[in-house]
Structure formats: structure tokens, C-alpha cells
Amino acid sequence: MAAPGISQENIVFPARVPPDVKTLIKASKGMDKAFYRKLIKLSLGYLQGSARDGDCEVAVKNLCQAAGATTEQQVMATCVQYAGVVSLLRAALRVNTHTVRQDTFINDLTNLGLSSDFATDLSRVAYGASRNDINKQLVVASPSLPTFTAINWRVEVTISTSWLSRVLEPVVTLRLDKDDKKSCTFEIPLAKFHQLRYTVASLLHQMEALENSPLAKK
């Protein structure tokens, strides 16, 4: 096993370990099992969006009481530990459980300096039977941009303008309806429309190639 904080190939944090996670790792050495399980439960509820702001505030207060945090410094340390578990869970839930074995995942966390019990509890979240439900809740709770619900189009030909007596240039009019009940309409010349089609097709091809690449399957 590599020394704590050093791994030949870090899986959960391939680039660097966030500062709040480093603080959590140091504090976890004297942390009892019941307390870090409360941390995991509260952090998972926050990521899933199942807890409202008021509920989170009450839960954090209860967490501080469970940790015996009475001074401002102790309360701040407990909040940093909570933030560390949130960062740790967020990274753990990005791990591809189809290509990374559970024991490899646990070893990676213990190499960072977490206890084997703590790492095992985190692995049960990442590899447990409820992982699919967790993923669905994370998608619902994640901020997202509006999506298109319908696309309407028509082609118009400008015969003449006040400047030119004969134009005969096709113009494509597109109206995009979004799921936020708003729509946008724009007009583009036929040549630009073909350029738009080519660009979209090229991007889709690149996305498919990226999904099939070995790097995306790690």
C-alpha cells in the first residue's frame, strides 16, 4: 500500500485532493463510526437535493452537537469536515463502477489516508443497490439549461427588396420551443443553414468518438 496521500494512480481524485478533503482526512483519524456515518447521510441528502435549506441548517446544528462542537472554531471545523464529505462523495459518485472494482476503490481511499471502515461505508454508497436511484436523484437535483421540446421551420423566398428588384434568396425560419414555456425564432440564409447542419453533425460525431474512447471508459 502506498503512503497516505500518495497513490500511483488516484481514482477518486486523479488531479489533486481538495483542501477540505485533506482536512477531513486528518480529522477522520479520531472520528467515531456513528459520527462519520451521519456526515455521509447528511452529505448525500444535500447532493440529492432532498433536504431543503432549513432542513440542512438544522441537520448541521445537530451534527455540531453530536461532535460536541461548542466554540466557534469547533463549529467551523465540523462544517469543513461536512464540506469535505460532500466533495468526497461528489467525486466518488463520478467513478465508473463498471470499470473500477469496489476493492480498488476502497484501496484508493485508504491510500489517501481514510480508515478502511470509512472507505468501506463510502463504497457502499458508490457501489450499493441504490446507486441507480441516487444517480437519478442527482440528475434531477443538478442545475440544467432549458431543453427543446419542439422545432418548427419554414422556408421563405425573398423575391425583391426596396434596394434590389430581384433577389430570389431562400431564407430558413426556425422556431425553437423550450421546456420553460419560452421560444426563440431566428432566420438564416440557406447557405448558413447548411453550415449549421454540418457543424451540428460534426459535433455529434466528435461526442460519439469521445464516448467510445478508452479515456472516457476509465
Side-chain angles (χ1 to χ4, degrees):
M1 182 182 296
I6 300 176
S7 177
Q8 292 183 349
E9 184 181 356
N10 292 326
I11 297 170
V12 179
F13 296 108
R16 67 179 184 87
V17 181
D20 52 358
V21 176
K22 291 182 179 179
T23 302
L24 169 69
I25 291 171
K26 292 179 181 178
S28 67
K29 291 176 173 56
M31 196 179 291
D32 61 45
K33 185 178 294 187
F35 181 69
Y36 68 64
R37 283 182 174 174
K38 287 181 180 178
L39 277 172
I40 293 174
K41 183 178 179 181
L42 178 60
S43 302
L44 186 59
Y46 168 77
L47 290 175
Q48 291 175 299
S50 58
R52 293 171 295 183
D53 292 340
D55 296 334
C56 283
E57 186 176 350
V58 172
V60 171
K61 286 182 179 179
N62 293 336
L63 196 63
C64 291
Q65 291 176 358
T70 54
T71 66
E72 183 178 351
Q73 186 176 4
Q74 291 172 335
V75 170
M76 182 62 67
T78 303
C79 291
V80 172
Q81 293 167 22
Y82 165 59
V85 177
V86 170
S87 298
L88 189 55
L89 269 177
R90 185 179 282 123
L93 291 171
R94 292 195 189 106
V95 173
N96 189 334
T97 56
H98 297 289
T99 57
V100 178
R101 290 171 43 179
Q102 187 170 0
D103 58 343
T104 304
F105 175 83
I106 293 174
N107 287 337
D108 188 69
L109 292 179
T110 54
N111 286 341
L112 290 175
L114 285 177
S115 67
S116 58
D117 289 340
F118 202 156
T120 300
D121 280 350
L122 287 168
S123 74
R124 287 173 182 152
V125 176
Y127 289 82
S130 59
R131 175 62 188 270
N132 288 336
D133 292 334
I134 292 174
N135 287 343
K136 291 177 183 178
Q137 292 169 342
L138 289 175
V139 171
V140 173
S142 300
S144 60
L145 296 173
T147 57
F148 295 127
T149 57
I151 299 179
N152 298 291
W153 62 276
R154 67 177 185 271
V155 178
E156 298 178 344
V157 178
T158 303
I159 298 176
S160 63
T161 66
S162 56
W163 298 280
L164 298 173
S165 58
R166 188 177 179 84
V167 179
L168 297 178
E169 181 180 2
V171 175
V172 179
T173 302
L174 291 172
R175 192 188 73 188
L176 308 177
D177 298 328
K178 300 179 290 182
D179 58 0
D180 59 359
K181 307 302 182 183
K182 296 180 180 179
S183 62
C184 56
T185 303
F186 59 94
E187 296 180 349
I188 51 176
L190 189 60
K192 289 292 183 182
F193 177 72
H194 287 310
Q195 183 179 350
L196 175 64
R197 289 176 54 229
Y198 172 79
T199 303
V200 171
S202 177
L203 288 174
L204 290 174
H205 177 72
Q206 293 177 37
M207 289 172 61
E208 183 180 1
L210 182 60
E211 289 176 353
N212 294 328
S213 69
L215 290 175
K217 295 179 180 179
K218 284 188 176 181

